[in-house]
Amino acid sequence: MWEFFISLFVNTLLWIYDTIGHNFGLAIILFTILIRVITWPLNASQLKGAQAMQDLQNDKEWQEIQKKYAKDREKLAQEQMRIYQERGINPFGSCLPTLIQFPIIIALYQSVIRALATTPLGLLQLGRSIFPFMSIESIIPINSKFLWMDLGRPESVTVLGFAIPTQAIVVGITTYIQSKLTMPANANPNDQTAAMSSSMAITMPLMLFWFSLTFASGLSIYFITSNLLGIAQYAMMGRANWRNLLPGGNKSNTPPAKK
């Protein structure tokens, strides 16, 4: 099943590559747009989950529970799960879509490496992955050059004798921005879900930065394109929380309820 999944990615990439005139970098960008369209329901679920969490922070019942059990973390967690169940809130709604992308990332990496095969063994494996309707003779070898990059190798730009991983830096920054834009405003440091979202906003950019440092730069093209598309989608829907990008911007401005 996993092998078929990778083969599906390989053939989709190669079909786009062959259709647009053998530009593999552009093929990855168009493929990323296709993936974004297909996974739109997951992104919508992420937005819905983030909005539900933001609305909960302004809920009077939840605010009273936070005050009542501020010193009892176990009881607070129990009440929090009760509220989630009663309101139909999925505590993982804002994080699960990001986690689901991991198989897509792995499959894309495998498909890029397989498509750019240069060794006899790699070419044999690529030949076995291509569906019968594809004309392998008109596609192989793949043109791996895109702008200044070799998409089959990690990218870096030499400035004053120093190798700077520009793509990896852009991947880290855009991943961080996208993660922060989807986080709800939260003023409660004891909120476990908010703490998990904050942790993901740090670990995901660092993880993808490391991936981009060590893996083929074609994967970085996917990361950057996907992140920019996500930021644009959130902005167009009016769901982007731009204040989260500022120091202290994740604090709620909601005034305390009058007694």
Side-chain angles (χ1 to χ4, degrees):
M1 181 63 183
W2 180 245
E3 183 64 26
F4 175 79
F5 191 51
I6 295 176
S7 296
L8 182 62
F9 272 46
V10 169
N11 283 270
T12 304
L13 265 174
L14 293 182
W15 178 79
I16 296 174
Y17 168 80
D18 192 36
T19 301
I20 63 175
H22 294 195
N23 187 321
F24 200 62
L26 184 56
I28 292 176
I29 293 174
L30 293 176
F31 180 73
T32 306
I33 296 174
L34 177 62
I35 292 295
R36 269 285 172 177
V37 171
I38 294 174
T39 59
W40 172 245
L42 292 176
N43 296 326
S45 174
Q46 184 177 26
L47 289 172
K48 182 179 178 180
Q51 185 63 47
M53 293 303 301
Q54 186 172 5
D55 293 340
L56 182 63
Q57 298 310 310
N58 299 324
D59 185 84
K60 292 183 178 180
E61 180 184 359
W62 175 235
Q63 291 173 351
E64 290 298 324
I65 291 174
Q66 289 176 311
K67 294 177 182 178
K68 184 177 181 180
Y69 300 109
K71 297 182 180 180
D72 189 345
R73 288 182 175 271
E74 183 177 353
K75 184 63 176 178
L76 180 62
Q78 293 175 356
E79 289 295 309
Q80 186 177 31
M81 292 308 298
R82 179 183 65 81
I83 291 291
Y84 286 165
Q85 292 176 356
E86 291 180 355
R87 309 290 174 84
I89 298 175
N90 181 2
F92 303 104
S94 60
C95 300
L96 189 59
T98 302
L99 296 177
I100 290 177
Q101 286 197 56
F102 274 116
I104 296 176
I105 292 171
I106 295 172
L108 178 66
Y109 170 70
Q110 291 290 338
S111 62
V112 169
I113 295 301
R114 190 171 297 186
L116 294 174
T118 54
T119 65
L121 181 60
L123 290 171
L124 179 62
Q125 189 178 31
L126 174 60
R128 291 174 176 175
S129 301
I130 295 180
F131 294 155
F133 69 87
M134 297 286 292
S135 176
I136 189 172
E137 294 83 5
S138 64
I139 298 175
I140 305 302
I142 296 293
N143 176 21
S144 63
K145 299 298 182 181
F146 181 63
L147 300 178
W148 67 91
M149 297 168 284
D150 182 347
L151 298 179
R153 304 177 61 183
E155 179 267 354
S156 64
V157 176
T158 302
V159 179
L160 299 178
F162 296 94
I164 301 176
T166 54
Q167 268 195 331
I169 293 173
V170 175
V171 167
I173 292 174
T174 54
T175 304
Y176 176 78
I177 291 174
Q178 182 179 208
S179 299
K180 296 293 285 185
L181 290 182
T182 58
M183 287 176 56
N186 177 57
N188 175 29
N190 297 320
D191 191 297
Q192 295 179 355
T193 304
M196 182 173 61
S197 297
S198 298
S199 176
M200 288 288 290
I202 298 298
T203 56
M204 282 298 294
L206 291 177
M207 186 178 301
L208 297 188
F209 172 78
W210 182 80
F211 283 166
S212 301
L213 281 178
T214 55
F215 293 164
S217 59
L219 191 61
S220 298
I221 296 292
Y222 167 79
F223 289 147
I224 294 172
T225 305
S226 181
N227 290 339
L228 293 177
L229 288 172
I231 292 171
Q233 286 176 342
Y234 300 140
M236 287 188 295
M237 295 180 65
R239 298 292 186 89
N241 193 351
W242 299 103
R243 290 174 49 227
N244 273 349
L245 299 178
L246 303 175
N250 62 334
K251 303 299 182 182
S252 176
N253 283 340
T254 304
K258 295 182 180 179
K259 295 183 179 180

